[in-house]
Amino acid sequence: MAVRPPGFGRVGADLRERARDRLLDTALRLFVERGYVGVRVEDIAKAAGVSRATFYKHFSEREEILAELFARLLGREPVAAPPGPPADALPRIRGLLADAATRMVANEQLARFVYTLPIRHASLLGQGARPPVLGVVERMIEEGAAARVVRTDIPPALITAHIARTFEAAMRDWAEGRAADVASHLTLLLDLAFQGVEAAR
């Protein structure tokens, strides 16, 4: 019976993680150079210096790479609501989303690729594809409604969906070169969107 050296399992996991990261980095580079549609699994494997069989040990299909790249962009860290009273829900949401957009565009190549895809690919729309910050936004909308600073005649989930589309539009405008600064552009679009959700005073 062979005896594995101490740490063999960790070393193996590190090697697998590095190989997976190399495939993701290579795929992103090829997607940017040739467009998503113009890149096949074979292209990714060859450029990464691995076989197709090795590719399939890490990803079942090209779409899984796309989903993983989007998850990278969104980040895996939990998002907390900024401090402040529920009565300030909308300004706090504005700041929270501007910060989230700024963090995303720090990974410029990945952010531009994701937000210039000609269609919102199913891999970006499935389970877990919603930026975690939007879950926080929905809770803040609920708090704002309870404090009567957000309309109560519209379900919080619908208001959040509207805000999500606004966030998406701002990111796409930035990625396609129609806005130089994503945070200020997003703030402008949110100001326009919030005029319809703010409670009448």
Side-chain angles (χ1 to χ4, degrees), residues 97 101 104-105 114-116 120 131 134 161-190 192-193:
L97 290 176
M104 290 170 80
V105 302
V114 166
Y115 285 101
T116 55
R120 301 314 289 144
L134 291 174
H162 180 60
I163 292 170
R165 286 189 288 275
T166 303
F167 185 85
E168 174 95 4
M171 292 298 296
R172 190 172 287 280
D173 284 349
W174 167 81
E176 294 176 352
R178 291 189 296 275
D181 179 63
V182 72
S184 60
H185 185 61
L186 174 61
T187 298
L188 172 64
L189 294 186
L190 286 172
L192 294 172

PDB file of all heavy atoms in Angstrom, residues 97 101 104-105 114-116 120 131 134 161-190 192-193:
ATOM      1  N   LEU A  97     -24.842  50.664  -4.402  1.00  0.00           N
ATOM      2  CA  LEU A  97     -24.732  50.198  -5.781  1.00  0.00           C
ATOM      3  C   LEU A  97     -23.585  50.880  -6.518  1.00  0.00           C
ATOM      4  O   LEU A  97     -22.903  50.251  -7.337  1.00  0.00           O
ATOM      5  CB  LEU A  97     -26.053  50.401  -6.523  1.00  0.00           C
ATOM      6  CG  LEU A  97     -27.187  49.478  -6.063  1.00  0.00           C
ATOM      7  CD1 LEU A  97     -28.484  49.821  -6.784  1.00  0.00           C
ATOM      8  CD2 LEU A  97     -26.832  48.012  -6.267  1.00  0.00           C
ATOM      9  N   ALA A 101     -20.619  48.790  -8.306  1.00  0.00           N
ATOM     10  CA  ALA A 101     -20.224  48.990  -9.704  1.00  0.00           C
ATOM     11  C   ALA A 101     -18.746  49.338  -9.799  1.00  0.00           C
ATOM     12  O   ALA A 101     -18.032  48.824 -10.672  1.00  0.00           O
ATOM     13  CB  ALA A 101     -21.077  50.086 -10.335  1.00  0.00           C
ATOM     14  N   MET A 104     -16.707  46.251  -9.410  1.00  0.00           N
ATOM     15  CA  MET A 104     -16.775  45.379 -10.583  1.00  0.00           C
ATOM     16  C   MET A 104     -15.889  45.894 -11.716  1.00  0.00           C
ATOM     17  O   MET A 104     -15.194  45.112 -12.362  1.00  0.00           O
ATOM     18  CB  MET A 104     -18.227  45.233 -11.047  1.00  0.00           C
ATOM     19  CG  MET A 104     -19.066  44.413 -10.080  1.00  0.00           C
ATOM     20  SD  MET A 104     -20.826  44.464 -10.454  1.00  0.00           S
ATOM     21  CE  MET A 104     -20.929  43.272 -11.766  1.00  0.00           C
ATOM     22  N   VAL A 105     -15.905  47.199 -11.954  1.00  0.00           N
ATOM     23  CA  VAL A 105     -15.115  47.724 -13.073  1.00  0.00           C
ATOM     24  C   VAL A 105     -13.626  47.764 -12.762  1.00  0.00           C
ATOM     25  O   VAL A 105     -12.818  48.010 -13.660  1.00  0.00           O
ATOM     26  CB  VAL A 105     -15.623  49.099 -13.557  1.00  0.00           C
ATOM     27  CG1 VAL A 105     -17.078  49.021 -13.976  1.00  0.00           C
ATOM     28  CG2 VAL A 105     -15.401  50.183 -12.531  1.00  0.00           C
ATOM     29  N   VAL A 114     -18.315  40.826 -19.896  1.00  0.00           N
ATOM     30  CA  VAL A 114     -19.639  40.380 -19.439  1.00  0.00           C
ATOM     31  C   VAL A 114     -20.732  41.338 -19.896  1.00  0.00           C
ATOM     32  O   VAL A 114     -21.780  40.911 -20.382  1.00  0.00           O
ATOM     33  CB  VAL A 114     -19.664  40.215 -17.905  1.00  0.00           C
ATOM     34  CG1 VAL A 114     -21.083  40.086 -17.380  1.00  0.00           C
ATOM     35  CG2 VAL A 114     -18.833  38.996 -17.494  1.00  0.00           C
ATOM     36  N   TYR A 115     -20.486  42.629 -19.766  1.00  0.00           N
ATOM     37  CA  TYR A 115     -21.540  43.596 -20.062  1.00  0.00           C
ATOM     38  C   TYR A 115     -21.585  44.051 -21.512  1.00  0.00           C
ATOM     39  O   TYR A 115     -22.399  44.895 -21.863  1.00  0.00           O
ATOM     40  CB  TYR A 115     -21.458  44.782 -19.097  1.00  0.00           C
ATOM     41  CG  TYR A 115     -21.990  44.384 -17.738  1.00  0.00           C
ATOM     42  CD1 TYR A 115     -21.133  44.078 -16.686  1.00  0.00           C
ATOM     43  CD2 TYR A 115     -23.357  44.256 -17.516  1.00  0.00           C
ATOM     44  CE1 TYR A 115     -21.625  43.674 -15.447  1.00  0.00           C
ATOM     45  CE2 TYR A 115     -23.850  43.854 -16.285  1.00  0.00           C
ATOM     46  CZ  TYR A 115     -22.984  43.571 -15.262  1.00  0.00           C
ATOM     47  OH  TYR A 115     -23.471  43.166 -14.046  1.00  0.00           O
ATOM     48  N   THR A 116     -20.739  43.465 -22.383  1.00  0.00           N
ATOM     49  CA  THR A 116     -20.884  43.726 -23.813  1.00  0.00           C
ATOM     50  C   THR A 116     -21.340  42.482 -24.563  1.00  0.00           C
ATOM     51  O   THR A 116     -21.434  42.514 -25.786  1.00  0.00           O
ATOM     52  CB  THR A 116     -19.574  44.250 -24.445  1.00  0.00           C
ATOM     53  OG1 THR A 116     -18.513  43.331 -24.170  1.00  0.00           O
ATOM     54  CG2 THR A 116     -19.223  45.629 -23.943  1.00  0.00           C
ATOM     55  N   ARG A 120     -28.064  38.444 -23.039  1.00  0.00           N
ATOM     56  CA  ARG A 120     -27.867  38.022 -21.662  1.00  0.00           C
ATOM     57  C   ARG A 120     -27.962  36.508 -21.663  1.00  0.00           C
ATOM     58  O   ARG A 120     -29.030  35.934 -21.609  1.00  0.00           O
ATOM     59  CB  ARG A 120     -28.915  38.645 -20.727  1.00  0.00           C
ATOM     60  CG  ARG A 120     -28.907  40.145 -20.725  1.00  0.00           C
ATOM     61  CD  ARG A 120     -27.531  40.780 -20.620  1.00  0.00           C
ATOM     62  NE  ARG A 120     -26.938  40.630 -19.305  1.00  0.00           N
ATOM     63  CZ  ARG A 120     -25.651  40.437 -19.111  1.00  0.00           C
ATOM     64  NH1 ARG A 120     -24.819  40.354 -20.118  1.00  0.00           N
ATOM     65  NH2 ARG A 120     -25.192  40.321 -17.914  1.00  0.00           N
ATOM     66  N   PRO A 131     -26.472  39.635  -8.761  1.00  0.00           N
ATOM     67  CA  PRO A 131     -25.431  40.141  -7.859  1.00  0.00           C
ATOM     68  C   PRO A 131     -25.904  40.110  -6.410  1.00  0.00           C
ATOM     69  O   PRO A 131     -27.032  40.509  -6.119  1.00  0.00           O
ATOM     70  CB  PRO A 131     -25.227  41.584  -8.353  1.00  0.00           C
ATOM     71  CG  PRO A 131     -25.633  41.546  -9.791  1.00  0.00           C
ATOM     72  CD  PRO A 131     -26.759  40.555  -9.862  1.00  0.00           C
ATOM     73  N   LEU A 134     -27.960  42.843  -4.675  1.00  0.00           N
ATOM     74  CA  LEU A 134     -29.392  43.074  -4.896  1.00  0.00           C
ATOM     75  C   LEU A 134     -30.255  42.445  -3.807  1.00  0.00           C
ATOM     76  O   LEU A 134     -31.354  42.931  -3.532  1.00  0.00           O
ATOM     77  CB  LEU A 134     -29.798  42.587  -6.283  1.00  0.00           C
ATOM     78  CG  LEU A 134     -29.212  43.431  -7.417  1.00  0.00           C
ATOM     79  CD1 LEU A 134     -29.524  42.818  -8.767  1.00  0.00           C
ATOM     80  CD2 LEU A 134     -29.701  44.866  -7.349  1.00  0.00           C
ATOM     81  N   ALA A 161     -36.249  44.542  -8.864  1.00  0.00           N
ATOM     82  CA  ALA A 161     -36.032  44.144 -10.264  1.00  0.00           C
ATOM     83  C   ALA A 161     -35.818  45.382 -11.136  1.00  0.00           C
ATOM     84  O   ALA A 161     -34.969  45.391 -12.036  1.00  0.00           O
ATOM     85  CB  ALA A 161     -37.206  43.326 -10.770  1.00  0.00           C
ATOM     86  N   HIS A 162     -36.571  46.436 -10.857  1.00  0.00           N
ATOM     87  CA  HIS A 162     -36.416  47.696 -11.595  1.00  0.00           C
ATOM     88  C   HIS A 162     -35.026  48.290 -11.348  1.00  0.00           C
ATOM     89  O   HIS A 162     -34.337  48.739 -12.278  1.00  0.00           O
ATOM     90  CB  HIS A 162     -37.524  48.662 -11.156  1.00  0.00           C
ATOM     91  CG  HIS A 162     -37.502  49.983 -11.830  1.00  0.00           C
ATOM     92  ND1 HIS A 162     -37.625  50.146 -13.198  1.00  0.00           N
ATOM     93  CD2 HIS A 162     -37.363  51.245 -11.322  1.00  0.00           C
ATOM     94  CE1 HIS A 162     -37.570  51.436 -13.504  1.00  0.00           C
ATOM     95  NE2 HIS A 162     -37.405  52.116 -12.381  1.00  0.00           N
ATOM     96  N   ILE A 163     -34.599  48.260 -10.103  1.00  0.00           N
ATOM     97  CA  ILE A 163     -33.267  48.758  -9.754  1.00  0.00           C
ATOM     98  C   ILE A 163     -32.188  47.885 -10.403  1.00  0.00           C
ATOM     99  O   ILE A 163     -31.175  48.395 -10.891  1.00  0.00           O
ATOM    100  CB  ILE A 163     -33.103  48.825  -8.217  1.00  0.00           C
ATOM    101  CG1 ILE A 163     -34.016  49.922  -7.653  1.00  0.00           C
ATOM    102  CG2 ILE A 163     -31.651  49.064  -7.821  1.00  0.00           C
ATOM    103  CD1 ILE A 163     -34.117  49.917  -6.130  1.00  0.00           C
ATOM    104  N   ALA A 164     -32.415  46.578 -10.441  1.00  0.00           N
ATOM    105  CA  ALA A 164     -31.452  45.667 -11.069  1.00  0.00           C
ATOM    106  C   ALA A 164     -31.289  45.986 -12.554  1.00  0.00           C
ATOM    107  O   ALA A 164     -30.175  45.980 -13.090  1.00  0.00           O
ATOM    108  CB  ALA A 164     -31.896  44.214 -10.885  1.00  0.00           C
ATOM    109  N   ARG A 165     -32.399  46.258 -13.240  1.00  0.00           N
ATOM    110  CA  ARG A 165     -32.316  46.618 -14.660  1.00  0.00           C
ATOM    111  C   ARG A 165     -31.579  47.947 -14.845  1.00  0.00           C
ATOM    112  O   ARG A 165     -30.850  48.138 -15.816  1.00  0.00           O
ATOM    113  CB  ARG A 165     -33.707  46.652 -15.280  1.00  0.00           C
ATOM    114  CG  ARG A 165     -34.289  45.254 -15.507  1.00  0.00           C
ATOM    115  CD  ARG A 165     -35.571  45.273 -16.309  1.00  0.00           C
ATOM    116  NE  ARG A 165     -36.693  45.806 -15.556  1.00  0.00           N
ATOM    117  CZ  ARG A 165     -37.453  45.093 -14.726  1.00  0.00           C
ATOM    118  NH1 ARG A 165     -37.211  43.812 -14.554  1.00  0.00           N
ATOM    119  NH2 ARG A 165     -38.454  45.660 -14.087  1.00  0.00           N
ATOM    120  N   THR A 166     -31.769  48.868 -13.914  1.00  0.00           N
ATOM    121  CA  THR A 166     -31.058  50.144 -13.967  1.00  0.00           C
ATOM    122  C   THR A 166     -29.558  49.918 -13.788  1.00  0.00           C
ATOM    123  O   THR A 166     -28.733  50.499 -14.509  1.00  0.00           O
ATOM    124  CB  THR A 166     -31.593  51.094 -12.873  1.00  0.00           C
ATOM    125  OG1 THR A 166     -33.004  51.266 -13.057  1.00  0.00           O
ATOM    126  CG2 THR A 166     -30.905  52.435 -12.911  1.00  0.00           C
ATOM    127  N   PHE A 167     -29.193  49.066 -12.834  1.00  0.00           N
ATOM    128  CA  PHE A 167     -27.788  48.717 -12.605  1.00  0.00           C
ATOM    129  C   PHE A 167     -27.191  48.102 -13.873  1.00  0.00           C
ATOM    130  O   PHE A 167     -26.100  48.483 -14.310  1.00  0.00           O
ATOM    131  CB  PHE A 167     -27.695  47.744 -11.429  1.00  0.00           C
ATOM    132  CG  PHE A 167     -26.292  47.402 -11.018  1.00  0.00           C
ATOM    133  CD1 PHE A 167     -25.595  48.216 -10.145  1.00  0.00           C
ATOM    134  CD2 PHE A 167     -25.674  46.260 -11.503  1.00  0.00           C
ATOM    135  CE1 PHE A 167     -24.292  47.905  -9.755  1.00  0.00           C
ATOM    136  CE2 PHE A 167     -24.378  45.943 -11.123  1.00  0.00           C
ATOM    137  CZ  PHE A 167     -23.689  46.762 -10.251  1.00  0.00           C
ATOM    138  N   GLU A 168     -27.918  47.165 -14.465  1.00  0.00           N
ATOM    139  CA  GLU A 168     -27.470  46.495 -15.693  1.00  0.00           C
ATOM    140  C   GLU A 168     -27.272  47.513 -16.819  1.00  0.00           C
ATOM    141  O   GLU A 168     -26.284  47.468 -17.548  1.00  0.00           O
ATOM    142  CB  GLU A 168     -28.507  45.446 -16.092  1.00  0.00           C
ATOM    143  CG  GLU A 168     -28.249  44.783 -17.406  1.00  0.00           C
ATOM    144  CD  GLU A 168     -27.503  43.481 -17.297  1.00  0.00           C
ATOM    145  OE1 GLU A 168     -27.236  43.014 -16.182  1.00  0.00           O
ATOM    146  OE2 GLU A 168     -27.168  42.939 -18.361  1.00  0.00           O
ATOM    147  N   ALA A 169     -28.215  48.442 -16.959  1.00  0.00           N
ATOM    148  CA  ALA A 169     -28.108  49.457 -18.015  1.00  0.00           C
ATOM    149  C   ALA A 169     -26.882  50.339 -17.816  1.00  0.00           C
ATOM    150  O   ALA A 169     -26.165  50.659 -18.782  1.00  0.00           O
ATOM    151  CB  ALA A 169     -29.376  50.306 -18.056  1.00  0.00           C
ATOM    152  N   ALA A 170     -26.620  50.729 -16.580  1.00  0.00           N
ATOM    153  CA  ALA A 170     -25.449  51.569 -16.302  1.00  0.00           C
ATOM    154  C   ALA A 170     -24.157  50.810 -16.619  1.00  0.00           C
ATOM    155  O   ALA A 170     -23.232  51.369 -17.223  1.00  0.00           O
ATOM    156  CB  ALA A 170     -25.453  52.020 -14.849  1.00  0.00           C
ATOM    157  N   MET A 171     -24.094  49.547 -16.224  1.00  0.00           N
ATOM    158  CA  MET A 171     -22.901  48.748 -16.498  1.00  0.00           C
ATOM    159  C   MET A 171     -22.711  48.559 -18.002  1.00  0.00           C
ATOM    160  O   MET A 171     -21.587  48.659 -18.509  1.00  0.00           O
ATOM    161  CB  MET A 171     -23.004  47.386 -15.800  1.00  0.00           C
ATOM    162  CG  MET A 171     -22.932  47.448 -14.287  1.00  0.00           C
ATOM    163  SD  MET A 171     -21.380  48.114 -13.625  1.00  0.00           S
ATOM    164  CE  MET A 171     -20.200  46.878 -14.180  1.00  0.00           C
ATOM    165  N   ARG A 172     -23.775  48.325 -18.712  1.00  0.00           N
ATOM    166  CA  ARG A 172     -23.688  48.136 -20.167  1.00  0.00           C
ATOM    167  C   ARG A 172     -23.272  49.448 -20.853  1.00  0.00           C
ATOM    168  O   ARG A 172     -22.443  49.436 -21.763  1.00  0.00           O
ATOM    169  CB  ARG A 172     -25.023  47.622 -20.718  1.00  0.00           C
ATOM    170  CG  ARG A 172     -24.942  47.184 -22.170  1.00  0.00           C
ATOM    171  CD  ARG A 172     -26.220  46.503 -22.619  1.00  0.00           C
ATOM    172  NE  ARG A 172     -26.356  45.169 -22.065  1.00  0.00           N
ATOM    173  CZ  ARG A 172     -25.752  44.092 -22.540  1.00  0.00           C
ATOM    174  NH1 ARG A 172     -24.938  44.185 -23.572  1.00  0.00           N
ATOM    175  NH2 ARG A 172     -25.944  42.920 -21.990  1.00  0.00           N
ATOM    176  N   ASP A 173     -23.836  50.561 -20.418  1.00  0.00           N
ATOM    177  CA  ASP A 173     -23.442  51.855 -20.996  1.00  0.00           C
ATOM    178  C   ASP A 173     -21.953  52.092 -20.806  1.00  0.00           C
ATOM    179  O   ASP A 173     -21.257  52.553 -21.719  1.00  0.00           O
ATOM    180  CB  ASP A 173     -24.237  52.997 -20.349  1.00  0.00           C
ATOM    181  CG  ASP A 173     -25.674  53.082 -20.839  1.00  0.00           C
ATOM    182  OD1 ASP A 173     -26.027  52.399 -21.834  1.00  0.00           O
ATOM    183  OD2 ASP A 173     -26.459  53.821 -20.223  1.00  0.00           O
ATOM    184  N   TRP A 174     -21.450  51.791 -19.604  1.00  0.00           N
ATOM    185  CA  TRP A 174     -20.015  51.944 -19.341  1.00  0.00           C
ATOM    186  C   TRP A 174     -19.197  51.007 -20.228  1.00  0.00           C
ATOM    187  O   TRP A 174     -18.226  51.419 -20.873  1.00  0.00           O
ATOM    188  CB  TRP A 174     -19.716  51.675 -17.862  1.00  0.00           C
ATOM    189  CG  TRP A 174     -18.250  51.512 -17.597  1.00  0.00           C
ATOM    190  CD1 TRP A 174     -17.323  52.502 -17.435  1.00  0.00           C
ATOM    191  CD2 TRP A 174     -17.536  50.274 -17.532  1.00  0.00           C
ATOM    192  NE1 TRP A 174     -16.072  51.957 -17.260  1.00  0.00           N
ATOM    193  CE2 TRP A 174     -16.180  50.588 -17.314  1.00  0.00           C
ATOM    194  CE3 TRP A 174     -17.916  48.927 -17.625  1.00  0.00           C
ATOM    195  CZ2 TRP A 174     -15.192  49.613 -17.193  1.00  0.00           C
ATOM    196  CZ3 TRP A 174     -16.937  47.946 -17.505  1.00  0.00           C
ATOM    197  CH2 TRP A 174     -15.590  48.303 -17.293  1.00  0.00           C
ATOM    198  N   ALA A 175     -19.596  49.736 -20.283  1.00  0.00           N
ATOM    199  CA  ALA A 175     -18.832  48.729 -21.027  1.00  0.00           C
ATOM    200  C   ALA A 175     -18.779  49.042 -22.516  1.00  0.00           C
ATOM    201  O   ALA A 175     -17.785  48.757 -23.184  1.00  0.00           O
ATOM    202  CB  ALA A 175     -19.432  47.344 -20.805  1.00  0.00           C
ATOM    203  N   GLU A 176     -19.833  49.651 -23.031  1.00  0.00           N
ATOM    204  CA  GLU A 176     -19.897  49.954 -24.460  1.00  0.00           C
ATOM    205  C   GLU A 176     -19.415  51.367 -24.776  1.00  0.00           C
ATOM    206  O   GLU A 176     -19.559  51.841 -25.896  1.00  0.00           O
ATOM    207  CB  GLU A 176     -21.324  49.722 -24.967  1.00  0.00           C
ATOM    208  CG  GLU A 176     -21.702  48.243 -24.898  1.00  0.00           C
ATOM    209  CD  GLU A 176     -23.143  47.951 -25.294  1.00  0.00           C
ATOM    210  OE1 GLU A 176     -23.930  48.909 -25.484  1.00  0.00           O
ATOM    211  OE2 GLU A 176     -23.471  46.750 -25.415  1.00  0.00           O
ATOM    212  N   GLY A 177     -18.837  52.056 -23.775  1.00  0.00           N
ATOM    213  CA  GLY A 177     -18.205  53.339 -24.013  1.00  0.00           C
ATOM    214  C   GLY A 177     -19.133  54.541 -24.026  1.00  0.00           C
ATOM    215  O   GLY A 177     -18.729  55.628 -24.437  1.00  0.00           O
ATOM    216  N   ARG A 178     -20.359  54.392 -23.550  1.00  0.00           N
ATOM    217  CA  ARG A 178     -21.294  55.524 -23.534  1.00  0.00           C
ATOM    218  C   ARG A 178     -21.225  56.307 -22.219  1.00  0.00           C
ATOM    219  O   ARG A 178     -21.883  57.329 -22.093  1.00  0.00           O
ATOM    220  CB  ARG A 178     -22.721  55.029 -23.781  1.00  0.00           C
ATOM    221  CG  ARG A 178     -22.943  54.531 -25.192  1.00  0.00           C
ATOM    222  CD  ARG A 178     -24.405  54.245 -25.467  1.00  0.00           C
ATOM    223  NE  ARG A 178     -24.910  53.163 -24.643  1.00  0.00           N
ATOM    224  CZ  ARG A 178     -24.818  51.865 -24.929  1.00  0.00           C
ATOM    225  NH1 ARG A 178     -24.203  51.488 -26.038  1.00  0.00           N
ATOM    226  NH2 ARG A 178     -25.318  50.944 -24.130  1.00  0.00           N
ATOM    227  N   ALA A 179     -20.472  55.803 -21.258  1.00  0.00           N
ATOM    228  CA  ALA A 179     -20.315  56.488 -19.966  1.00  0.00           C
ATOM    229  C   ALA A 179     -18.885  56.268 -19.494  1.00  0.00           C
ATOM    230  O   ALA A 179     -18.427  55.131 -19.415  1.00  0.00           O
ATOM    231  CB  ALA A 179     -21.303  55.939 -18.949  1.00  0.00           C
ATOM    232  N   ALA A 180     -18.203  57.360 -19.185  1.00  0.00           N
ATOM    233  CA  ALA A 180     -16.803  57.253 -18.773  1.00  0.00           C
ATOM    234  C   ALA A 180     -16.668  56.789 -17.332  1.00  0.00           C
ATOM    235  O   ALA A 180     -15.784  56.004 -17.003  1.00  0.00           O
ATOM    236  CB  ALA A 180     -16.104  58.590 -18.962  1.00  0.00           C
ATOM    237  N   ASP A 181     -17.547  57.265 -16.473  1.00  0.00           N
ATOM    238  CA  ASP A 181     -17.464  56.930 -15.052  1.00  0.00           C
ATOM    239  C   ASP A 181     -18.727  56.181 -14.645  1.00  0.00           C
ATOM    240  O   ASP A 181     -19.821  56.749 -14.643  1.00  0.00           O
ATOM    241  CB  ASP A 181     -17.314  58.196 -14.215  1.00  0.00           C
ATOM    242  CG  ASP A 181     -17.239  57.889 -12.730  1.00  0.00           C
ATOM    243  OD1 ASP A 181     -16.276  57.217 -12.312  1.00  0.00           O
ATOM    244  OD2 ASP A 181     -18.169  58.289 -12.000  1.00  0.00           O
ATOM    245  N   VAL A 182     -18.573  54.908 -14.317  1.00  0.00           N
ATOM    246  CA  VAL A 182     -19.739  54.079 -14.060  1.00  0.00           C
ATOM    247  C   VAL A 182     -20.505  54.525 -12.817  1.00  0.00           C
ATOM    248  O   VAL A 182     -21.738  54.502 -12.808  1.00  0.00           O
ATOM    249  CB  VAL A 182     -19.368  52.583 -13.976  1.00  0.00           C
ATOM    250  CG1 VAL A 182     -18.606  52.263 -12.710  1.00  0.00           C
ATOM    251  CG2 VAL A 182     -20.583  51.689 -14.102  1.00  0.00           C
ATOM    252  N   ALA A 183     -19.814  54.965 -11.779  1.00  0.00           N
ATOM    253  CA  ALA A 183     -20.500  55.334 -10.531  1.00  0.00           C
ATOM    254  C   ALA A 183     -21.391  56.555 -10.732  1.00  0.00           C
ATOM    255  O   ALA A 183     -22.548  56.565 -10.302  1.00  0.00           O
ATOM    256  CB  ALA A 183     -19.485  55.583  -9.420  1.00  0.00           C
ATOM    257  N   SER A 184     -20.876  57.584 -11.401  1.00  0.00           N
ATOM    258  CA  SER A 184     -21.704  58.777 -11.594  1.00  0.00           C
ATOM    259  C   SER A 184     -22.840  58.504 -12.571  1.00  0.00           C
ATOM    260  O   SER A 184     -23.962  59.006 -12.389  1.00  0.00           O
ATOM    261  CB  SER A 184     -20.851  59.963 -12.063  1.00  0.00           C
ATOM    262  OG  SER A 184     -20.218  59.672 -13.289  1.00  0.00           O
ATOM    263  N   HIS A 185     -22.588  57.685 -13.575  1.00  0.00           N
ATOM    264  CA  HIS A 185     -23.649  57.344 -14.531  1.00  0.00           C
ATOM    265  C   HIS A 185     -24.740  56.528 -13.836  1.00  0.00           C
ATOM    266  O   HIS A 185     -25.935  56.782 -14.026  1.00  0.00           O
ATOM    267  CB  HIS A 185     -23.056  56.565 -15.710  1.00  0.00           C
ATOM    268  CG  HIS A 185     -24.033  56.271 -16.787  1.00  0.00           C
ATOM    269  ND1 HIS A 185     -24.686  57.259 -17.500  1.00  0.00           N
ATOM    270  CD2 HIS A 185     -24.494  55.090 -17.282  1.00  0.00           C
ATOM    271  CE1 HIS A 185     -25.489  56.710 -18.386  1.00  0.00           C
ATOM    272  NE2 HIS A 185     -25.400  55.388 -18.270  1.00  0.00           N
ATOM    273  N   LEU A 186     -24.337  55.575 -13.020  1.00  0.00           N
ATOM    274  CA  LEU A 186     -25.307  54.780 -12.276  1.00  0.00           C
ATOM    275  C   LEU A 186     -26.119  55.663 -11.340  1.00  0.00           C
ATOM    276  O   LEU A 186     -27.341  55.516 -11.234  1.00  0.00           O
ATOM    277  CB  LEU A 186     -24.592  53.681 -11.490  1.00  0.00           C
ATOM    278  CG  LEU A 186     -25.455  52.844 -10.544  1.00  0.00           C
ATOM    279  CD1 LEU A 186     -26.555  52.101 -11.297  1.00  0.00           C
ATOM    280  CD2 LEU A 186     -24.604  51.863  -9.757  1.00  0.00           C
ATOM    281  N   THR A 187     -25.464  56.586 -10.666  1.00  0.00           N
ATOM    282  CA  THR A 187     -26.176  57.497  -9.761  1.00  0.00           C
ATOM    283  C   THR A 187     -27.238  58.288 -10.521  1.00  0.00           C
ATOM    284  O   THR A 187     -28.366  58.445 -10.044  1.00  0.00           O
ATOM    285  CB  THR A 187     -25.175  58.441  -9.064  1.00  0.00           C
ATOM    286  OG1 THR A 187     -24.278  57.647  -8.280  1.00  0.00           O
ATOM    287  CG2 THR A 187     -25.877  59.434  -8.164  1.00  0.00           C
ATOM    288  N   LEU A 188     -26.888  58.756 -11.713  1.00  0.00           N
ATOM    289  CA  LEU A 188     -27.851  59.493 -12.530  1.00  0.00           C
ATOM    290  C   LEU A 188     -29.044  58.612 -12.899  1.00  0.00           C
ATOM    291  O   LEU A 188     -30.203  59.019 -12.748  1.00  0.00           O
ATOM    292  CB  LEU A 188     -27.158  60.009 -13.798  1.00  0.00           C
ATOM    293  CG  LEU A 188     -28.082  60.645 -14.841  1.00  0.00           C
ATOM    294  CD1 LEU A 188     -28.731  61.906 -14.298  1.00  0.00           C
ATOM    295  CD2 LEU A 188     -27.305  60.953 -16.120  1.00  0.00           C
ATOM    296  N   LEU A 189     -28.776  57.396 -13.363  1.00  0.00           N
ATOM    297  CA  LEU A 189     -29.869  56.499 -13.746  1.00  0.00           C
ATOM    298  C   LEU A 189     -30.725  56.110 -12.540  1.00  0.00           C
ATOM    299  O   LEU A 189     -31.955  55.983 -12.654  1.00  0.00           O
ATOM    300  CB  LEU A 189     -29.319  55.245 -14.437  1.00  0.00           C
ATOM    301  CG  LEU A 189     -28.638  55.448 -15.790  1.00  0.00           C
ATOM    302  CD1 LEU A 189     -28.280  54.102 -16.407  1.00  0.00           C
ATOM    303  CD2 LEU A 189     -29.490  56.259 -16.744  1.00  0.00           C
ATOM    304  N   LEU A 190     -30.079  55.927 -11.391  1.00  0.00           N
ATOM    305  CA  LEU A 190     -30.852  55.607 -10.182  1.00  0.00           C
ATOM    306  C   LEU A 190     -31.723  56.784  -9.759  1.00  0.00           C
ATOM    307  O   LEU A 190     -32.862  56.588  -9.321  1.00  0.00           O
ATOM    308  CB  LEU A 190     -29.923  55.196  -9.044  1.00  0.00           C
ATOM    309  CG  LEU A 190     -29.298  53.814  -9.158  1.00  0.00           C
ATOM    310  CD1 LEU A 190     -28.248  53.616  -8.060  1.00  0.00           C
ATOM    311  CD2 LEU A 190     -30.352  52.719  -9.095  1.00  0.00           C
ATOM    312  N   LEU A 192     -33.125  58.854 -11.724  1.00  0.00           N
ATOM    313  CA  LEU A 192     -34.286  58.791 -12.621  1.00  0.00           C
ATOM    314  C   LEU A 192     -35.238  57.670 -12.198  1.00  0.00           C
ATOM    315  O   LEU A 192     -36.458  57.860 -12.170  1.00  0.00           O
ATOM    316  CB  LEU A 192     -33.822  58.573 -14.060  1.00  0.00           C
ATOM    317  CG  LEU A 192     -33.021  59.713 -14.695  1.00  0.00           C
ATOM    318  CD1 LEU A 192     -32.457  59.280 -16.036  1.00  0.00           C
ATOM    319  CD2 LEU A 192     -33.893  60.947 -14.844  1.00  0.00           C
ATOM    320  N   ALA A 193     -34.682  56.521 -11.851  1.00  0.00           N
ATOM    321  CA  ALA A 193     -35.518  55.382 -11.460  1.00  0.00           C
ATOM    322  C   ALA A 193     -36.234  55.651 -10.139  1.00  0.00           C
ATOM    323  O   ALA A 193     -37.399  55.288  -9.972  1.00  0.00           O
ATOM    324  CB  ALA A 193     -34.657  54.116 -11.336  1.00  0.00           C
TER     325      ALA A 193
END
